[in-house]
Amino acid sequence: MTAARLSPTANLLRKSRLFALPPALSPPQDPATSKTVFESDTATLPYPIRASIETPASSRARGDWGLKRPLPSKGTTDKSSRPIVRVKAIDTFEHVTDFESAADHTVTLEKFQELHMPMSLPAKINYANALIPRHQSPFESLVDNSENSESLNEPGAKQFRHSGPWLAGQTETEFQAYLQRIQRRRPELLQKLRERLVAKRTAERRKQAQDNGEDLEGLDQPVQVTEEEFQNYVKSLRADPLALGPVVFELLDLPSPPAVPSDRIGSRYYQSPGTKLSSPEYAISGPPKTHPSAGLSYTRSHALLYNHPNYGPQTYQRPVEARILRPKGRFKGRMSKAIAGIGGIAVEDLNAMTFAEQSGPPGLSYFDASIPGGAKYWVTPVRASVDSEGRIGLASYRATASSKAPYGITDYRKPSLTSVSDTVRGIDSRMTPRLDRLSPRQPRFNDSDEPVVAKQPVREAEDIARRLMRTLSSS
């Protein structure tokens, strides 16, 4: 029996790479340590390594996901509110399709995009004063460059990717393999080194003629360098590690390494040139494996205006509720900050001090199981970035009373056992003003027959903001 003949369109779609699944990325590497690392095989990875597949509801009811065979609804629709899958293997040895739910990274991406946060270059946050670095977009022309970008010739241009590897992040085996590849390029590198020497001699001759006041015409021609002069130049570089280091980094296009340890400053070492990476943090942890934005957001700035339907433009967007994952305290033998979850991202609380807070959110200083639904509080995200390992770094401040008042949201407050009702306090009744606290211009007695309006005491900043919003809405 002959096989069914495919139409030209079907044959084109079958062989097209547009309809093929992209290859899986390499998973995060395990830390190079001899200590025991406790981790879970089913934990969510820092970044997705396989593509997520979604299908319409009509096709999902039939189990049609555009794959070789239909997927059962028991593993897609019945077990997840967001039926999105990632395929590990389209056809295994047992003739089955190995898949799992991809709702973890997909929902995290949707939650992050609802924050309307622009991506920034990674920067070190000073937890001593809780100051967040200034926003710097990775899409600027001076920093959005790779090894082949034309903008590298501009003064002050930076790049996020080099053609050479980051030597500080390589193992001994990877470094030896890289040396073998470099040895095969020996003639090419020697030719580049000769061109560098010729350009250096030409620039020195032109500068000397300019200092002596001579005619500069015809001095742009390259200087002839003999083989003996070139060999002497190579020997001088080998004898001086401080001069050889910048030459090696430039010829091999290597990223900048971390800073030299303080105990080796007095010894001789191969000095590296100034970093050309777009962020100084890349020199410490290595250059990024993807674009610094990671495709999460393409907004270049946070110059957005949040317009409330009743109260008009707002300084901050609507606060986001953060769940406290771990209260502050001693963790692994040392004091640690509180960790909260914002949109599926674990964030360190910048405002949590090391000492006990009297006015902090409930459940932040210690674990409190009596809070209904778990400990939460409202925050305002201000900065987002992606580090070299592909992890999202999100910085946020606690939401102020003025940012929460337009939306009528408040933090949860535990009922106090010694609380007194407003009737007992006499808030609804008239209050007798104290005579020693009256201003000099205010009369002590009211001569008119108009009734005296008792002023309500303001207990908190949230009451002030709430009354202000009530006044604006009534006017």
Side-chain angles (χ1 to χ4, degrees), residues 16 61 106 113 121 125 137 182 203 222 233 257 290 326 331 346 379 434:
S16 176
T106 305
Q113 292 177 348
L121 291 176
I125 299 178
S137 175
I182 292 300
Y233 174 68
T290 61
R326 188 187 71 190
F331 182 72
V379 297
R434 297 189 58 175

Side-chain angles (χ1 to χ4, degrees), residues 111-130:
K111 291 180 179 179
F112 179 82
Q113 292 177 348
E114 291 179 359
L115 300 178
H116 305 288
M117 292 293 300
M119 298 304 298
S120 306
L121 291 176
K124 185 177 181 180
I125 299 178
N126 188 4
Y127 289 97
N129 50 16

Side-chain angles (χ1 to χ4, degrees), residues 124-376:
K124 185 177 181 180
I125 299 178
N126 188 4
Y127 289 97
N129 50 16
L131 292 180
I132 295 181
R134 179 176 173 269
H135 166 70
Q136 185 179 7
S137 175
F139 298 104
E140 299 295 337
S141 58
L142 290 180
V143 296
D144 190 12
N145 302 310
S146 60
E147 66 275 9
N148 299 324
S149 299
E150 299 179 357
S151 303
L152 288 177
N153 299 327
E154 299 181 3
K158 301 289 185 178
Q159 58 188 109
F160 65 89
R161 182 182 300 166
H162 290 259
S163 59
W166 191 55
L167 300 182
Q170 286 187 330
T171 60
E172 184 65 23
T173 304
E174 294 174 347
F175 181 68
Q176 294 298 333
Y178 178 68
L179 287 182
Q180 293 179 2
R181 294 196 302 268
I182 292 300
Q183 291 176 358
R184 304 190 195 102
R185 299 174 51 193
R186 179 183 175 87
E188 176 188 354
L189 296 177
L190 289 178
Q191 180 63 27
K192 290 184 178 180
L193 186 59
R194 181 184 293 272
E195 295 175 357
R196 176 186 173 87
L197 177 60
V198 171
K200 179 182 178 182
R201 293 285 181 86
T202 304
E204 291 177 353
R205 184 183 64 177
R206 181 180 179 85
K207 184 178 183 304
Q208 184 178 3
Q210 186 177 4
D211 295 341
N212 297 334
E214 301 176 359
D215 189 10
L216 302 180
E217 185 177 358
L219 296 181
D220 294 336
Q221 298 295 330
V223 178
Q224 299 296 330
V225 178
T226 62
E227 184 65 24
E228 182 180 359
E229 293 177 346
F230 177 69
Q231 294 298 331
N232 293 334
Y233 174 68
V234 173
K235 292 179 181 179
S236 64
L237 289 179
R238 291 176 177 174
D240 189 5
L242 295 179
L244 179 60
V247 176
V248 172
F249 275 86
E250 182 179 352
L251 291 179
L252 302 180
D253 194 18
L254 299 176
S256 302
V260 179
S262 57
D263 56 345
R264 296 196 58 186
I265 292 181
S267 59
R268 300 181 63 184
Y269 59 91
Y270 292 93
Q271 185 179 8
S272 61
T275 178
K276 295 182 179 180
L277 295 173
S278 55
S279 175
E281 293 298 316
Y282 291 151
I284 302 176
S285 57
K289 297 178 177 59
T290 61
H291 191 269
S293 66
L296 297 177
S297 175
Y298 297 96
T299 307
R300 302 186 64 173
S301 67
H302 206 174
L304 303 177
L305 186 63
Y306 305 97
N307 193 13
H308 194 274
N310 295 332
Y311 306 112
Q314 302 294 316
T315 305
Y316 302 101
Q317 62 173 332
R318 179 185 175 90
V320 183
E321 197 171 21
R323 178 181 294 275
I324 300 177
L325 303 178
R326 188 187 71 190
K328 62 181 180 180
R330 299 194 64 85
F331 182 72
K332 292 185 178 180
R334 59 180 180 179
M335 293 298 297
S336 61
K337 292 183 176 292
I339 296 181
I342 304 176
I345 304 171
V347 182
E348 286 189 346
D349 187 73
L350 298 180
N351 304 99
M353 308 301 292
T354 55
F355 50 84
E357 292 182 274
Q358 301 297 333
S359 60
L364 190 64
S365 301
Y366 57 90
F367 176 73
D368 191 353
S370 62
I371 301 177
K376 303 175 184 177

